[in-house]
Amino acid sequence: MKKVYKISIDCANCANKLENIAKKFNGIEDAAVNYMTQKIHINFKDEVSPDDVMPELRKACRKIHRGCDIYI
Amino acid sequence: MKEMNTKQRGTLIRIAVSSVLLTALLILNPEGHWRLLLFMIPYLIVGYDILIGAFYGVLNRQPFDECFLMSIATLGAIVLGEYAEAVAVMLFYQLGEFFQSYAVGKSRKNIQDLMDIRPDYANVEGANGELIQASPNELELGAIIVIKPGEIIPIDGVIIEGSASINTCALTGESLPIDVSEGDELKSGSVNISGLLKLRTTKLFGDSTASKILDLVENAGINKSKQEKFISKFARVYTPFVCFSALALALLPPLFGHFLYGNANLGTWTYRALTFLVISCPCALVISVPLSFFAAIGGAGKAGILVKGSSYLETLSQVSEIVFDKTGTVTRGVFELKKIVPLEISESELLEITALAEAFSDHPISMSIIEAYGKKPDESRVRELENIPGMGIVAQVDSHTVAVGNSKLMQELSIEYSSTSEHGTLVHIAKNGKYLGYMLISDDVRPNMKAAINELKTLGVKKTHMLTGDLKSAALDVAEKIGVSEVKFELLPQGKVFEIEMLMDKKAHNEKIAYVGDGINDAPVLRRADVGIAMGGLGSDAAIESADIVIMDDDPMKIPLALRFAKKCMRIIYENICFSIGIKFSFLIFAAFGFVNMWYAIFADVGVMVIAVLNSLRALKLKNTKA
């Protein structure tokens, strides 16, 4: 399942970091962060529900840098 | 100033206050304990959030967090007694961040405004004729909506009442308003400038043009280019590399010095290591690449060229061969009466008879004749109409038997007709078994097509091809008119895919092939080519879905324009990559040998970023645009 979420990320490198984390994240097939439009596109694995994955990814995102967030 | 947000304004004030204090302190040059205390004031004013960020970075085990690295560099400088440098590094780092956030925010806003075609509501008439704002999402197919002057047309539809001027700029980049009236079809995303329009929707909101374009723009981020991937990888290695080098620089030379010469020189090497940390942030690079693509995609969007992702811009810049579809792309796909050749009677008489016989037909050729006739044929003069499929029409016009059709019809009726070598479709006319003459109907080549192909050649496209299902003579005639170098004719739709695959096999690895089509029957070809460009296909769902680049109106000059956007964008990206990496590594080497101090390092770091960002923003505009 593909979904798009709004993100809040101030620095371009942090956006890269989020993309790298999300790509390897449990339950996520592939992910792309668009820093310019402040969005993350996530392709979830078939068997998982985004509701299970997203809170975890959000936690990881907030750790990247102060102020980074994903709006679920 | 007005465009800044609160956070940016706050940062700017802190930067200003801190730099005034720093200048004052540099002039006053206080001594002793006061020196540290006084310098800490501008340091903390400008850098307190960095220090807090660093603290969070440590808590979250992010060793290569840029706040953390900046804090180490400046705190280290303070320990070494270089107070002024610590403040300056913090100050310029913040200035750089401020500039970056301002530039990015501004271009983001510019481009979002550009693509601001999202309708928030649709007016529907209530029971008493009053207007109610409804969510466009909830309206059914065929709903009647009202569009007031100044409003965006929310859903595609047909005008049932009223007339107005509309601006299609957000869709096509064309700034001249278009006059529309009852019966005209409107695409959502255009703006009603004047007049009240009543529309019957012909599509659901989700299938409307505006929604489709917005979907496309939103998803443009998924297909990342090679350059973006490279930068992302580079950034991942660069910061750790610089940090470990800094650590090595702080430890190894002093160790050698201690054992070999009995002199560790710890302070000097620590200072050089801290200078490394100042240059450790890959920001200039990381920001400039996506910013360039974003600016170019935005600039192209403003010109009516939708690019679905940065990777397509990259591919387009490498295109060496362009393949055009004929009908609907090179030509307008609309038939037009070109010539009337009457025998014995006048042209207008022949046209009138033919138009009357064709009065009830909706075949594209009949329509072109009726259009040329210029008025509605008097249907009462026509009786006993007989449509002969694949041949034409036989009808009673003013009690005469009129036959209008192709050569097969004439042969069928045993009427002698004249033939010609001219290109196009011939329509023969006979009255009461007597040949009256013929009309020549053909599909016009789009104006500017030849100019577009010429410009493509000057932009480095080596070969241009045209594919068509038409007969040889018609194909060669058009090919000659527009100046394409290769032409393939009498192709079936699958044949076009085959031709593209042949070309893609033959070309060199780093050369790409673009296909330009209308997406109506060539969607598989659009998908198969390295980069598929759909033209004038806004109405066609297939075109928007299968193409990588969509030209929103039907101006062929937009093809070279798209190519120029792509080439300029890629040039800027390579400039930025080489420039940033070059400067960063030179400064790392200079710093290792002690040729530069922290002042130079931070100037270089911020300077590179500012130049790279300003350079990126150039991708938004093209010089002396002809289209």
Side-chain angles (χ1 to χ4, degrees):
Chain A
M1 192 200 322
K2 285 178 188 168
K3 275 193 137 178
V4 184
Y5 298 89
K6 187 148 181 44
I7 56 172
S8 157
I9 285 187
D10 264 353
C11 74
N13 200 24
C14 304
N16 266 344
K17 287 181 188 167
L18 175 62
E19 182 168 292
N20 289 329
I21 292 171
K23 270 180 193 275
K24 291 181 213 145
F25 213 75
N26 216 348
I28 291 178
E29 185 76 45
D30 198 13
V33 172
N34 190 336
Y35 171 67
M36 292 309 299
T37 54
Q38 294 278 307
K39 283 193 180 109
I40 182 166
H41 301 257
I42 301 180
N43 189 0
F44 294 96
K45 285 188 177 144
D46 290 339
E47 66 279 4
V48 301
S49 143
D51 296 341
D52 297 334
V53 179
M54 288 315 288
E56 292 299 313
L57 185 66
R58 185 180 202 181
K59 261 189 222 163
C61 171
R62 285 176 170 171
K63 278 188 184 172
I64 296 172
H65 197 273
R66 201 163 68 107
C68 291
D69 208 346
I70 302 178
Y71 300 103
I72 306 180
Chain B
M1 285 296 274
K2 263 183 281 169
E3 288 145 338
M4 281 181 224
N5 59 33
T6 334
K7 194 180 160 197
Q8 286 173 335
R9 226 171 276 140
T11 314
L12 196 63
I13 291 169
R14 282 162 53 206
I15 291 172
V17 171
S18 175
S19 42
V20 169
L21 286 175
L22 177 65
T23 322
L25 287 172
L26 284 173
I27 294 166
L28 293 172
N29 200 12
E31 296 291 332
H33 295 304
W34 285 105
R35 188 174 167 80
L36 172 62
L37 271 173
L38 286 173
F39 270 103
M40 285 321 275
I41 299 169
Y43 178 74
L44 288 177
I45 288 177
V46 79
Y48 75 90
D49 56 338
I50 305 285
L51 294 171
I52 296 173
F55 179 69
Y56 276 95
V58 174
L59 277 190
N60 293 320
R61 304 206 184 111
Q62 295 282 334
F64 301 121
D65 178 87
E66 45 182 272
C67 291
F68 177 66
L69 296 169
M70 276 300 159
S71 302
I72 296 278
T74 51
L75 291 173
I78 290 171
V79 170
L80 290 175
E82 306 283 359
Y83 305 143
E85 301 196 356
V87 182
V89 167
M90 229 18 146
L91 194 63
F92 282 106
Y93 175 74
Q94 286 285 38
L95 194 63
E97 292 291 294
F98 165 78
F99 172 77
Q100 177 185 321
S101 122
Y102 179 72
V104 168
K106 198 160 178 228
S107 64
R108 192 180 278 150
K109 201 181 161 297
N110 274 348
I111 290 162
Q112 271 164 4
D113 285 355
L114 220 70
M115 296 311 294
D116 192 16
I117 52 172
R118 187 186 299 281
D120 301 320
Y121 60 87
N123 299 316
V124 290
E125 271 182 359
N128 304 320
E130 80 279 14
L131 290 183
I132 305 167
Q133 291 194 351
S135 157
N137 227 337
E138 289 163 6
L139 290 181
E140 285 169 24
L141 202 64
I144 308 293
I145 55 173
V146 177
I147 298 129
K148 290 188 277 188
E151 287 181 337
I152 296 174
I153 294 157
I155 306 175
D156 295 3
V158 161
I159 303 180
I160 53 169
E161 206 183 301
S163 61
S165 290
I166 60 161
N167 184 341
T168 60
C169 188
L171 295 178
T172 60
E174 172 59 59
S175 50
L176 282 180
I178 300 169
D179 291 327
V180 292
S181 57
E182 225 175 286
D184 285 340
E185 287 199 26
L186 291 187
K187 294 209 166 80
S188 51
S190 309
V191 176
N192 180 4
I193 308 175
S194 63
L196 197 68
L197 290 176
K198 220 180 237 185
L199 220 64
R200 190 180 62 241
T201 61
T202 51
K203 279 187 181 158
L204 289 174
F205 178 62
D207 299 328
S208 282
T209 312
S211 306
K212 284 234 175 75
I213 290 171
L214 284 167
D215 269 1
L216 198 151
V217 173
E218 308 242 301
N219 289 316
I222 298 173
N223 297 298
K224 294 212 170 175
S225 62
K226 264 204 301 256
Q227 290 74 21
E228 279 168 296
K229 287 179 192 152
F230 165 74
I231 285 303
S232 166
K233 265 189 209 147
F234 178 84
R236 238 182 301 166
V237 204
Y238 176 78
T239 310
F241 165 78
V242 176
C243 291
F244 286 118
S245 312
L247 199 63
L249 204 61
L251 296 178
L252 296 182
L255 268 181
F256 281 117
H258 178 71
F259 287 113
L260 295 177
Y261 312 107
N263 177 7
N265 236 338
L266 201 61
T268 308
W269 291 105
T270 309
Y271 181 83
R272 290 182 190 178
L274 294 176
T275 311
F276 260 48
L277 293 187
V278 171
I279 326 176
S280 69
C281 177
C283 273
L285 270 174
V286 176
I287 185 66
S288 71
V289 175
L291 186 60
S292 307
F293 277 123
F294 188 69
I297 290 176
K302 190 180 181 185
I305 305 162
L306 278 184
V307 184
K308 282 194 186 173
S310 48
S311 64
Y312 303 120
L313 219 47
E314 180 198 351
T315 314
L316 186 63
S317 73
Q318 300 166 338
V319 160
S320 64
E321 296 182 42
I322 297 192
V323 185
F324 292 89
D325 183 35
K326 181 180 157 279
T327 307
T329 305
V330 168
T331 64
R332 298 194 310 170
V334 179
F335 291 95
E336 209 172 276
L337 179 58
K338 285 278 125 56
K339 207 170 175 186
I340 304 175
V341 185
L343 300 174
E344 294 171 19
I345 58 170
S346 75
E347 280 188 19
S348 58
E349 278 173 310
L350 185 63
L351 183 60
E352 186 176 54
I353 292 170
T354 320
L356 283 168
E358 303 263 25
F360 293 98
S361 168
D362 55 3
H363 189 278
I365 290 186
S366 318
M367 311 269 274
S368 70
I369 293 174
I370 294 169
E371 201 185 305
Y373 181 55
K375 44 194 166 178
K376 205 168 161 24
D378 180 3
E379 288 167 5
S380 64
R381 291 167 64 185
V382 191
R383 271 174 299 120
E384 289 171 44
L385 196 86
E386 191 190 355
N387 206 338
I388 307 161
M391 293 188 189
I393 287 170
V394 180
Q396 295 292 324
V397 176
D398 301 336
S399 317
H400 299 288
T401 309
V402 175
V404 178
N406 55 16
S407 49
K408 280 188 204 151
L409 183 72
M410 295 297 119
Q411 286 160 11
E412 180 78 18
L413 300 172
S414 321
I415 298 167
E416 252 184 64
Y417 59 95
S418 40
S419 60
T420 164
S421 62
E422 280 171 291
H423 304 292
T425 307
L426 286 186
V427 175
H428 299 279
I429 303 104
K431 187 169 140 186
N432 296 331
K434 186 171 172 252
Y435 189 59
L436 289 185
Y438 65 86
M439 291 181 186
L440 181 73
I441 288 158
S442 71
D443 186 6
D444 254 352
V445 170
R446 286 188 196 278
N448 278 345
M449 199 67 215
K450 192 184 166 89
I453 286 177
N454 271 333
E455 202 184 337
L456 285 171
K457 285 177 186 160
T458 64
L459 287 170
V461 174
K462 287 183 205 148
K463 261 186 181 173
T464 47
H465 304 255
M466 189 179 81
L467 304 182
T468 176
D470 282 6
L471 297 174
K472 184 178 176 179
S473 60
L476 290 178
D477 177 52
V478 172
E480 198 191 343
K481 268 188 201 145
I482 61 170
V484 287
S485 42
E486 311 271 324
V487 54
K488 288 269 159 51
F489 38 83
E490 290 165 39
L491 295 170
L492 296 170
Q494 310 89 285
K496 294 183 185 172
V497 178
F498 178 73
E499 288 296 328
I500 282 281
E501 283 175 344
M502 290 266 287
L503 288 173
M504 288 174 62
D505 281 344
K506 270 194 291 182
K507 60 152 181 150
H509 177 67
N510 58 350
E511 292 182 331
K512 304 286 183 204
I513 293 190
Y515 176 79
V516 190
D518 60 1
I520 289 169
N521 56 14
D522 52 7
V525 201
L526 278 174
R527 240 174 269 140
R528 190 68 195 83
D530 290 320
V531 52
I533 304 174
M535 207 166 98
L538 251 194
S540 146
D541 299 358
I544 295 188
E545 270 155 37
S546 4
D548 307 315
I549 294 172
V550 181
I551 290 176
M552 302 218 259
D553 56 9
D554 46 19
D555 181 2
M557 291 309 281
K558 296 268 168 85
I559 303 166
L561 191 67
L563 197 64
R564 284 169 55 197
F565 267 112
K567 292 206 171 216
K568 182 169 184 188
C569 177
M570 297 318 294
R571 199 173 58 237
I572 289 174
I573 283 167
Y574 284 118
E575 281 166 11
N576 280 346
I577 291 179
C578 296
F579 173 70
S580 313
I581 295 186
I583 296 278
K584 290 230 172 198
F585 277 103
S586 330
F587 266 77
L588 286 177
I589 293 166
F590 290 154
F593 289 104
F595 295 145
V596 295
N597 60 24
M598 260 190 208
W599 287 91
Y600 289 119
I602 191 71
F603 274 138
D605 204 60
V606 172
V608 165
M609 204 259 294
V610 170
I611 292 170
V613 165
L614 290 178
N615 197 22
S616 296
L617 293 178
R618 288 197 306 126
L620 186 63
K621 283 194 184 112
L622 289 178
K623 256 181 252 162
N624 49 43
T625 311
K626 282 176 205 148

